[in-house]
Each structure stands twice: as C-alpha cells, then as structure tokens.
Amino acid sequence: MEITPLGDSALLIRLAENFDAAPESALTKVLAAQQFLTAAKIPGVVEVAPAYTTVTLFYDPLRAMAAGAPMENVFGWFEQQIREAASKAGKIRANSIYTSVIEIPVCYEAEFAFDLNEVARRAGLSVKEVVDLHSGAEYRVHCIGFTGGFPFLGGLPQKIATPRRETPRKEIPAGSVGIGGKQTGIYPIKSPGGWNIIGRTPLQLFDPKKNRPAFLRAGDHVRFKPISRDEFERATT
C-alpha cells in the first residue's frame, strides 16, 4: 500500500500496480480499502473515492488538526491513521458485498445506436450478434467518473471491444450506452464523448437531489436487458 500526498487536502492510496493484468483482484483491493477507511471514521475525512487501482482520500486539514493532527505534518498524521486502520481491518472480502445483479434496460434501436453498425462491421458480426454479446455478459463497475455517475464497466466480450472514436461528439444524449476500448459505459447526463454509442437506457443514472446521486457504485454487478422502442417510451413517461 503506497500512500502519497495529492495537493494539500487529499492523498492517494495505491493498492495495485497493473489493472489490466488482474482487474477483479484490483477491484477487490480497492473496495476493501474503501470499506475499512469508511469504517475507521478518521477525523477530518470528507470523502473516500475509489478508482481502478487507487483510493483517494479527501480531507479537511482544519478538522484533522482539531482532532490532533500536527499543523506541520497533517499528511503524516493521516498516513499513520490509514495504516493503523488497515492493520485492524484484517482480510476483508469486498467481493462478497456486491452480489446482486442490477439490470439496466437498453433500447438498441438504430435511432439510439449511432455506432452500432460500425461496431458490428469492425467485429465482423451482425448487429444482432453484437447486441446479444453486449446484453449477454455480466459486468462489474470498476469506478465512477468522467461526469457525475458515469460507470466504467469491465467484462465486455473481447469480440466487440472497439477503439474510441477518432473524433469525439460534442453532445451525447443522457442514457446513451457506449463502448470505449475494452469497456462499456453509460452517459448519465448530456455531455461530449468519444465512445461508440450502441443504445440508450431510459433510467436516470445521476440525480444530484438524491442522497446518493449516482445510481451505480464501484463493485456493482450489471447486466443489460434489451427493450423495444415502445418499452423505452413507456419507461420515460
């Protein structure tokens, strides 16, 4: 576990070196760290944010100093607190916590799937075969980022892995489901983006008014369920 400062109010905890070599192992280590850091209730901690191989701990220096952190070495104080929390945590089976599968309905009709034909062409498959492969796999949310609530999902079948577009679009509708390299993801809000869009979900994946704004979180298991245009319309009315 490598701990390094990240500005004056955050630090980075590196838990794995190579995500691509063992993505599930990296995810388990990251989720376990997120759990024991949250459970430790270290004074001054504002947020614990997981990523592919790291966890970022954001903190309020003033609150930490009020709890005993020396003004000249707030980072060192936090590092000690983190290592003590880790030593007490023992072996945590983070993988076992997120066991239920979240089903995301997706309409793969042409009007929502701007790049589905291109993905199929590159893969040497029919459009139906791409949809069957995409909706037949089970995915894991490895991290949330880029825009609020955007899930980066691992588990995409290798046959339909597709490089990001050379020219990103200036605007992608909210709910768009895309493929970017070896991953798939969902645009929760309207935004620019360079992923290959193959469908759209009627679900709202990000709501800043909710206590937990993002619908998905790191560690979740996800499956996509194909729906018709009529089902999409009914879900949005």
Side-chain angles (χ1 to χ4, degrees):
M1 187 169 63
E2 178 187 352
I3 305 174
T4 55
L6 190 65
D8 61 358
S9 58
L11 51 84
L12 191 70
I13 306 166
R14 184 169 301 281
L15 299 145
E17 287 299 323
N18 190 336
F19 172 80
D20 289 333
E24 285 294 322
S25 174
L27 178 60
T28 298
K29 291 176 182 178
V30 166
L31 293 177
Q34 182 188 28
Q35 289 171 46
F36 76 66
L37 289 171
T38 301
K41 299 186 183 301
I42 300 171
V45 172
V46 175
E47 183 179 4
V48 179
Y52 287 109
T53 59
T54 62
V55 170
T56 301
L57 186 146
F58 296 90
Y59 60 85
D60 180 341
L62 293 179
R63 284 168 53 192
M65 286 187 283
M71 183 173 61
E72 68 279 3
N73 191 17
V74 173
F75 167 77
W77 182 84
F78 268 108
E79 182 177 17
Q80 181 182 354
Q81 300 297 313
I82 292 166
R83 295 196 183 280
E84 287 180 2
S87 67
K88 294 175 183 177
K91 187 176 181 180
I92 301 176
R93 294 182 178 179
N95 232 12
S96 65
I97 292 178
Y98 304 98
T99 54
S100 61
V101 178
I102 298 169
E103 192 172 80
I104 306 289
V106 178
C107 182
Y108 293 94
E109 294 293 329
E111 65 180 292
F112 299 141
F114 314 139
D115 303 306
L116 185 53
N117 285 332
E118 177 61 16
V119 171
R121 186 192 67 79
R122 279 179 169 269
L125 302 170
S126 68
V127 165
K128 182 181 184 305
E129 287 173 322
V130 172
V131 172
D132 288 346
L133 283 170
H134 187 262
S135 59
E138 183 174 308
Y139 302 90
R140 294 293 303 279
V141 180
H142 285 284
C143 64
I144 302 291
F146 170 56
T147 61
F150 187 106
F152 290 84
L153 301 168
L156 182 74
Q158 181 59 37
K159 283 186 178 181
I160 56 174
T162 309
R164 290 173 173 81
R165 291 168 49 85
E166 290 185 6
T167 304
R169 290 186 172 90
K170 294 181 180 179
E171 185 176 291
I172 293 178
S176 292
V177 178
I179 293 174
K182 298 178 181 179
Q183 298 180 99
T184 190
I186 310 168
Y187 288 79
I189 60 175
K190 182 171 65 176
S191 68
W195 289 35
N196 302 279
I197 304 305
I198 63 168
R200 192 179 303 173
T201 178
L203 295 185
Q204 184 179 3
L205 268 69
F206 183 74
D207 185 351
K209 296 178 182 178
K210 290 185 176 179
N211 184 41
R212 201 184 91 186
F215 179 69
L216 297 172
R217 58 181 175 173
D220 282 341
H221 295 253
V222 172
R223 277 190 178 275
F224 294 108
K225 177 188 176 182
I227 59 173
S228 67
R229 183 69 170 80
D230 288 342
E231 289 174 309
F232 182 93
E233 285 297 324
R234 288 197 295 270
T236 56
T237 56

